[in-house]
Amino acid sequence: MPELVLHNTLTRRRETFVPQDPSHVRMYVCGPTVYDLAHLGNARPVVVFDVLARLLRRLFPRLTYVRNITDVDDKINARAAESGEAIGDITRRTTADFHADMAAIGALPPDIEPRATAHVGEMIALIERLIAGGHAYAAEGHVLFAVASFAQYGRLSGRSPDELLAGARVEVAPYKRDPGDFVLWKPSTEELPGWDSPWGRGRPGWHIECSAMSWRYLGETFDIHGGGSDLLFPHHENEAAQSLCAFPDSRFALTWLHNGMLLVNGEKMSKSLGNFVTLRDVLAAGEGEAVRLLLLKTHYRSPLDFSWAALSEAQRELDRLYRGVEAAPDAEAETPDEMVEALCDDLNTPRALAYLYALAAGARAGNHRTAGRLRGAGALLGLLQADPARRLQEIEQLNARGVTRADIEALIEQRTSARLTRDFARADAIRAELAGHGIVLEDGSGGTTWRRG
RNA sequence: GGUCCGGUGGCAGAGUGGCGAUGCAGCGGACUGCAAAUCCGCGUAUGUGGGUUCGAUUCCCGCCCGGACCUCCA
């Protein structure tokens, strides 16, 4: 079994991954705040950590993968206030949309998907521990974390408290002892969601939910914590501070993994910049699997610049890979060591894909066993698992574009007759007609076949 | 301004102290009535100036450029 090497943000270097308990790996990944449709940037960590989960399941006997749903947040409240839709309806609908979108790009569900609102009790318990330990204080209905009480504050994100202060451009609330102190609990008005607590009716701050849910499902110390690089500060820094102070003997997450940002024209895709493309938009233009391939073509720590041209390129590449699968659909899947090794190299998906292309070429050339290895290698990446005949099903959808399967087959018959009488003008006319409907004909030794172009 | 990351062929994108992967696109060829698909072949790249070294794209320093974070954000 190859050694898994991962780049740990905490140490900023590549490290051999050694789980606390080799018989049970524990991983936590920050999930979505459910107030709006997921965009392509939101999909990247999901796909990246889905590949990691598949790899970990192969390398270790057991994995518990937790990815939360944050369903209490001021952005959700704001959305409800704007639209008039009930908060519960927004979060339920958005969660369902998220599940559907992630399934469309081949991401398996995590083992546990806890919702923040179901863990307010744990959050309150954590906050009480922090107050008892002198790491938090109540002020004007809020409870704040005292960054000065934690000497290691800033270690994860590589900042000193002074630097943070120097860069602070945010207005400092008067009840904060230190500008860097952050909210653990805040008071809610009647209209806002709230829970009874020792500090009155209120709601949790942004970071505490992850500390609560990782603690509940993975314990005080666990192996891997993942998320987007934009979460490194303040979210992960604060999360770590809370958890380490609440459990002074723990180490919280041993390995921190951060994926790079998705860019559009060289700039980060984000809701606030308005340059985002929802997954729905992307899925209307290409297969979910092509989107997945697109996301895996770049190493997870590098930025990835999205373009529609890049998506269609991924679509072309995927089609070609599937031609390898189609060459021997019944071949027994087998996972090549080379694929595992590529992924063990800090999840080097570009290297893994290069190997996949080589397997596809072998499979197209008629090597049956290679076709099985292609299928098995694809499985580790969450690719190439569809029935090759899926193309025909997709073509059925082209009915709306003016041709049915029966039309296509009838035209092919006419064309075959024309070709037999060497009426090539007629044959070419038929091919051109089908091409107009996005159908490409291929004259092979066994007759004429067709596919989506 | 501070911190961090990165600059590789037309595009995308890896690796590596010593012949610079892979894919897409392009070009040539085989095959085809013509195509498509497939196969074979070809071309062009390591931002810039120094340093270390027998040798640097790879290590070190400066510069230029780009991005992220420092504020809600995957």
Side-chain angles (χ1 to χ4, degrees):
Chain A
M1 184 166 66
E3 212 171 55
L4 172 60
V5 173
L6 295 171
H7 176 90
N8 187 352
T9 309
L10 189 60
T11 56
R12 289 174 203 288
R13 58 177 56 176
R14 290 159 54 99
E15 296 173 350
T16 299
F17 175 69
V18 182
Q20 257 192 134
D21 173 1
S23 69
H24 186 183
V25 177
R26 294 164 172 88
M27 174 162 82
Y28 186 91
V29 174
C30 287
T33 298
V34 282
Y35 69 103
D36 204 355
L37 285 173
H39 66 232
L40 196 52
N42 302 122
R44 173 122 97 141
V46 173
V47 168
V48 164
F49 293 109
D50 180 59
V51 171
L52 179 58
R54 289 170 194 254
L55 178 65
L56 289 169
R57 289 211 166 87
R58 169 151 210 101
L59 298 176
F60 299 96
R62 185 179 170 204
L63 167 72
T64 297
Y65 173 19
V66 178
R67 188 182 64 213
N68 67 291
I69 295 279
T70 296
D71 58 352
V72 50
D73 181 274
D74 286 350
K75 286 193 292 294
I76 300 171
N77 301 338
R79 184 59 57 101
E82 282 166 27
S83 68
E85 189 177 6
I87 286 174
D89 291 341
I90 292 175
T91 58
R92 241 188 319 278
R93 174 170 49 75
T94 308
T95 300
D97 288 341
F98 178 77
H99 288 156
D101 287 348
M102 298 310 135
I105 53 175
L108 301 170
D111 298 294
I112 303 173
E113 190 175 55
R115 289 177 304 116
T117 51
H119 298 81
V120 175
E122 285 89 340
M123 297 185 214
I124 291 173
L126 276 180
I127 296 171
E128 287 182 314
R129 287 183 75 107
L130 290 171
I131 292 175
H135 294 289
Y137 56 95
E140 296 183 28
H142 294 69
V143 181
L144 293 125
F145 183 89
V147 292
S149 73
F150 183 49
Q152 289 187 61
Y153 189 78
R155 182 181 163 211
L156 174 62
S157 57
R159 296 154 206 271
S160 70
D162 295 344
E163 286 166 10
L164 293 172
L165 211 101
R169 288 181 304 206
V170 80
E171 203 175 319
V172 178
Y175 46 79
K176 286 189 180 181
R177 287 183 191 166
D178 193 292
D181 290 355
F182 55 90
V183 172
L184 300 170
W185 189 263
K186 52 189 165 187
S188 289
T189 59
E190 274 308 311
E191 315 81 69
L192 290 172
W195 289 262
D196 289 327
S197 80
W199 317 285
R201 183 174 177 279
R203 61 195 196 282
W206 174 28
H207 319 292
I208 195 71
E209 84 279 13
C210 285
S211 288
M213 292 184 274
S214 62
W215 171 42
R216 163 78 186 274
Y217 296 103
L218 300 176
E220 297 174 13
T221 301
F222 53 94
D223 299 302
I224 296 172
H225 191 130
S229 62
D230 54 350
L231 295 181
L232 182 55
F233 190 90
H235 184 55
H236 289 160
E237 187 70 58
N238 292 355
E239 209 183 312
Q242 293 162 350
S243 292
L244 290 168
C245 289
F247 306 107
D249 295 328
S250 79
R251 296 177 59 196
F252 194 44
L254 301 175
T255 301
W256 287 84
L257 263 28
H258 290 94
N259 62 272
M261 293 294 98
L262 200 98
L263 312 180
V264 178
N265 295 325
E267 276 199 319
K268 178 180 169 182
M269 179 180 287
S270 73
K271 294 267 166 76
S272 50
L273 284 174
N275 62 349
F276 61 93
V277 183
T278 65
L279 214 43
R280 289 291 156 88
D281 295 335
V282 179
L283 290 171
E287 272 179 274
E289 196 172 343
V291 176
R292 184 180 180 93
L293 176 60
L294 173 65
L295 293 175
L296 294 177
K297 283 176 67 175
T298 301
H299 182 83
Y300 77 95
R301 286 196 285 116
S302 300
L304 193 174
D305 210 342
F306 170 77
S307 69
W308 295 102
L311 178 63
S312 56
E313 181 176 310
Q315 181 72 61
R316 267 195 302 279
E317 290 163 358
L318 183 66
D319 286 346
R320 199 140 181 275
L321 288 170
Y322 262 109
R323 287 179 189 284
V325 176
E326 284 166 344
D330 59 329
E332 192 186 342
E334 182 187 343
T335 308
D337 292 341
E338 291 89 337
M339 186 60 47
V340 178
E341 280 161 18
L343 295 181
C344 280
D345 176 16
D346 194 27
L347 230 53
N348 193 335
T349 52
R351 182 178 147 194
L353 288 171
Y355 188 66
L356 202 65
Y357 292 120
L359 290 175
R364 284 191 301 261
N367 188 318
H368 198 264
R369 186 177 171 203
T370 301
R373 288 160 63 81
L374 173 64
R375 192 64 93 95
L380 208 48
L381 295 170
L383 295 171
L384 308 182
Q385 300 308 295
D387 184 337
R390 90 212 150 88
R391 282 206 169 74
L392 293 179
Q393 291 169 358
E394 280 177 19
I395 290 168
E396 296 287 6
Q397 294 170 8
L398 290 173
N399 290 358
R401 287 168 62 180
V403 276
T404 64
R405 198 172 196 171
D407 291 337
I408 295 169
E409 281 162 9
L411 285 166
I412 288 176
E413 269 189 49
Q414 289 177 33
R415 179 167 168 276
T416 301
S417 305
R419 290 178 70 214
L420 283 173
T421 58
R422 302 192 67 80
D423 180 359
F424 295 123
R426 170 72 181 138
D428 290 348
I430 291 172
R431 181 164 56 207
E433 182 184 345
L434 285 171
H437 293 289
I439 302 300
V440 174
L441 299 184
E442 297 183 356
D443 298 326
S445 55
T448 300
T449 56
W450 53 279
R451 64 181 171 84
R452 170 188 48 147

